Structures are given as C-alpha cells and as structure tokens.
Amino acid sequence: LEVRERVEEVLAYPEGTVGRIMHPEVAVIRPDVSLDVVLRYLRQRKSLRRQTDGLMVIDRDNNYLGKLSYTALLTSDPAMTVSEVMLPEADSVRADTPETDLAILFERRDLVSVAVLDDGDKLVGVVTADDVLDIVREQADQQILNMAGLEEEEDLFAPVLPSAKRRAVWLGINLITAFLAAWVIGLFEATIDKIVALAVLMPIVASMGGIAGSQTLTLAIRGLALGQISSANTRWLAFKEIGVGMLNGVFWAVVVGAIAFVWFGSVGIGLVISAAMVLNLLAAALSGVAIPLILDRLGIDPALSGAVVLTTVTDVVGFMSFLGLATLFLL
C-alpha cells in the first residue's frame, strides 16, 4: 500500500516536471543529532541510493533545512551535530519545475543530487544525476530528429505510409528553397554562359557558407536549450561570431582564390571568388546567430526549421555575391 501511495504521488505531478521523475524515498536526518548517530544509522541501513552525495536535513514538520554531505560526515568530529557541518544553502528545486530547467541547474552547478520541495518548502523527494542524464539524452534525441525535420514518434521501423507523410512536408520545404537558389542562378545565366568556370566554382562558395553557418547555428541552438543566451549577451555573441566569420572568411578566401587562379589562370576569377567567400561567411555567421533567436522568439523550434532557413540564406547570398561580382567586374 505504501509503494502504491508513493507511485500515485509521483504520477499526480504534470508530465515534464521534476515531481514526475523524483524519488519519493529519501534518507533524512534531524539537525540536532550527532554525526556519530548518523554513522550508526547508515550502518544499520546497509545501503544508500545510488548517485547521492549526502543526506537531506529536515525538522520535525518535514521542512527542508539543508544537506549533510558524505564528505563532511566522514571528515568531521563524530561528536559534532548535523547542524554544525551541514550545508544550509544547499540547492533545491520545486516539484513543479520543468525538467529542462532541472537539467540546466545540474549542468551549471555540477550537482550529484538535489532535494525536491513542494510549495510549502517541505521535502517530497530527491532527483539524482542519473535521472538528469535520461532527460539530457531524450532532449538530444529530440533535437537530432528536429534538425532532420522528423517528429518524436518517428521510428526506424515505422510503417512506410506514415513515415512518408511525416517526411514529405520538409522535403517540400527544401524543394522550395532549392528552387529559390536555382532562380538566383538563373538571373546570371548570361554571365555563366560567357564564363564557364563560374559554374564549376559556384558550389564551393555556397558549401563553405553552409558549413560555417551550421557550426554557428548548432552552438546557438545549444545555447538557447541550456539557457546560456539572453538579451544581455546576444550582441556580444553576434559580434564574436562575425569576427570568427571574418577571420575564417579571409583565410579561406586566400586559399580558394589561389586555387582558382592556378586552376583557371585568371586573376579576376580568383579575386571574385575570394570576395564572395568573405561575404558569404559573414552572412553565414550573422544568420547562424540571428535565425535561432528570431525563430525562438516567434515560438518556432529552431532545431526544427533553423537549418532549412540557414541553407537558403547561404545559398542565395553565396550565388548572388559570386555571380553578381563576376557580372560587375569580369564582363
């Protein structure tokens, strides 16, 4: 009956909250007992919950007071009381805290276990690092699916028709963006006809921009998921990524420009592709930061649609800058 009551207590909390994953069985002690008594109490228990680093301290009304770490217990004078060596400011979370906030707390504070309290500051359970690891693993799986345009219920061995329907939407969106890039290329058809080398070099500019943008996009999405990006550091992050884009753009522009010159024997083509490379990597860096922030503010999951938007930007900017500069300076 006691086990059933504990299970019902956990299930009473909403899905996705700390209360739903907490362990209601907690080893607790009073603040006025000696450490020697605590040691004898632990010897009688003969076992402890895995992934815990201390005992929760409560008063007679079950109000949470702090944590007695095992380190303090083993290294302090056994005659001392719990209240003298416990951590009164030990971290705790409310039972209705979202799981994502719990994962951020463990990551930032490097926690092993944390007390779970109700609205009245009474101890109702404990969550441990292995519980948080499960949350992080689920979030990572979901993010990977989202970046591929797949849903959580997508399964490798799902039936053909449902799988095809779920994936068709994002294939259609990608097709639209591909036609947009093709339309930009079509605007410079006459230029490509006169300088065939441009058709050979076009994919290089777009590909380098896409890779650079994806790197920034991935870091930005991770930062949003972990709560590391806020209005206070957005501007700094944008300038930092622009600086990275500029340095990489200049370096690889020199490399690609030199290869183009050796390959086609044209200084003009080398200079044009170098300039286009710098412009596209700058656009990729700025887009990699801006796109997830804008999508997040609009309530759209950046992991689900950010890569599609970014690819469109880098393809369009890459083709437009490369072919546009070639039209201006090589014809």
Side-chain angles (χ1 to χ4, degrees):
L1 181 62
E2 184 179 354
V3 174
R4 179 179 177 181
E5 290 177 352
R6 288 172 179 169
V7 171
E8 290 177 348
E9 179 185 354
V10 170
L11 294 178
Y13 291 100
E15 189 77 28
T17 62
V18 172
R20 199 63 178 266
I21 63 169
M22 71 177 182
H23 303 282
E25 296 182 11
V26 188
V28 296
I29 51 175
R30 304 279 189 236
D32 54 350
V33 300
S34 68
L35 299 185
D36 183 55
V37 172
V38 176
L39 289 170
R40 282 189 275 118
Y41 162 70
L42 293 178
R43 293 190 190 101
Q44 291 176 356
R45 285 180 60 97
K46 297 182 179 180
S47 65
L48 294 171
R49 179 173 295 281
R50 295 177 57 193
Q51 300 295 329
T52 56
D53 58 343
L55 301 171
M56 303 305 169
V57 185
I58 60 173
D59 61 17
R60 296 187 181 277
D61 295 322
N62 203 41
N63 293 309
Y64 178 67
L65 302 179
K67 180 191 290 187
L68 173 64
S69 71
Y70 292 137
T71 301
L73 174 62
L74 296 174
T75 58
S76 301
D77 185 350
M80 299 178 71
T81 62
V82 170
S83 61
E84 292 179 288
V85 297
M86 73 178 193
L87 300 172
E89 303 298 328
D91 292 292
S92 62
V93 293
R94 300 290 181 184
D96 57 356
T97 300
E99 291 179 353
T100 51
D101 292 347
L102 177 68
I104 293 172
L105 175 65
F106 266 75
E107 190 269 338
R108 286 181 174 175
R109 305 297 294 272
D110 197 22
L111 300 177
V112 176
S113 64
V114 67
V116 182
L117 313 181
D118 62 12
D119 292 335
D121 288 337
K122 296 186 182 299
L123 182 69
V124 293
V126 63
V127 287
T128 59
D130 53 345
D131 302 319
V132 177
L133 182 61
D134 293 335
I135 297 172
V136 173
R137 185 183 296 113
E138 291 175 3
Q139 291 177 346
D141 291 343
Q142 182 59 49
Q143 190 174 75
I144 291 172
L145 289 172
N146 286 346
M147 293 185 72
L150 303 177
E151 299 177 2
E152 187 174 1
E153 61 269 20
E154 183 74 30
D155 184 80
L156 180 62
F157 300 102
V160 173
L161 188 58
S163 296
K165 286 182 178 180
R166 282 194 287 264
R167 302 181 196 186
V169 174
W170 288 100
L171 288 174
I173 294 174
N174 279 309
L175 181 62
I176 293 172
T177 61
F179 272 117
L180 178 60
W183 175 74
V184 172
I185 295 173
L187 295 176
F188 300 95
E189 184 177 356
T191 303
I192 297 174
D193 286 340
K194 294 180 180 178
I195 309 175
V196 180
L198 299 178
V200 178
L201 297 173
M202 276 193 311
I204 298 175
V205 179
S207 176
M208 290 293 287
I211 294 297
S214 296
Q215 292 171 339
T216 304
L217 181 74
T218 301
L219 292 175
I221 292 175
R222 181 178 182 274
L224 285 172
L226 295 177
Q228 296 173 338
I229 298 179
S230 63
S231 57
N233 60 16
T234 299
R235 179 173 295 183
W236 177 90
L237 179 61
F239 281 117
K240 176 250 185 180
E241 290 300 326
I242 289 174
V244 172
M246 174 64 75
L247 289 176
N248 276 327
V250 170
F251 175 77
W252 289 109
V254 173
V255 173
V256 174
I259 293 174
F261 169 71
V262 173
W263 191 352
F264 297 100
S266 171
V267 175
I269 290 179
L271 292 175
V272 165
I273 195 171
S274 296
M277 187 77 69
V278 173
L279 291 174
N280 202 24
L281 262 67
L282 285 175
L286 185 59
S287 300
V289 174
I291 289 172
L293 294 176
I294 294 172
L295 292 176
D296 183 65
R297 185 166 296 182
L298 294 175
I300 302 172
D301 187 357
L304 185 62
S305 52
V308 176
V309 179
L310 176 70
T311 301
T312 304
V313 171
T314 54
D315 283 353
V316 170
V317 172
F319 294 144
M320 184 72 74
S321 59
F322 182 47
L323 298 176
L325 290 172
T327 302
L328 288 175
F329 298 106
L330 299 181
L331 293 183

